Amino acid sequence: MHWSAYEVFSVLSGIVLIGLALVPSMKAKDRAWSALGGIAFAGYGFYVAGQDSGTWTFPVVIFVIPFAAVLYLLVAKFGKGSTEDGDR
């Protein structure tokens, strides 16, 4: 296997997204998308690392999506404020 920064970062991004999918207080839809994205990132990283030849591309967005997903999920969790009746 050939591991460069791209493959390593792809797998690490997948692990981060899968970890977010395990947060029980997130919505089921957000958890599902996080898990699917994590599996895709990690799978692509392992797949490319296992190739002996060929040209594989990693767009710059692969470095942005995990951070954007973490920010989105944190805002979805904490950014809306309280919805208790006394706060309206």
Side-chain angles (χ1 to χ4, degrees):
M1 289 192 139
H2 171 71
W3 291 95
S4 72
Y6 295 105
E7 289 88 355
V8 170
F9 195 86
S10 182
V11 171
L12 289 175
S13 299
I15 291 170
V16 167
L17 290 173
I18 290 170
L20 284 174
L22 299 175
V23 175
S25 60
M26 295 291 181
K27 292 181 187 176
K29 180 181 88 170
D30 292 335
R31 290 174 45 198
W33 280 113
S34 191
L36 288 173
I39 291 168
F41 274 117
Y44 188 66
F46 277 108
Y47 174 75
V48 173
Q51 301 304 308
D52 291 333
S53 64
T55 302
W56 306 93
T57 60
F58 287 86
V60 174
V61 75
I62 198 165
F63 296 103
V64 175
I65 288 176
F67 296 108
V70 169
L71 287 174
Y72 169 77
L73 293 172
L74 288 174
V75 168
K77 171 93 173 117
F78 299 110
K80 293 183 180 181
S82 179
T83 58
E84 295 178 16
D85 290 334
D87 292 343
R88 291 182 187 185

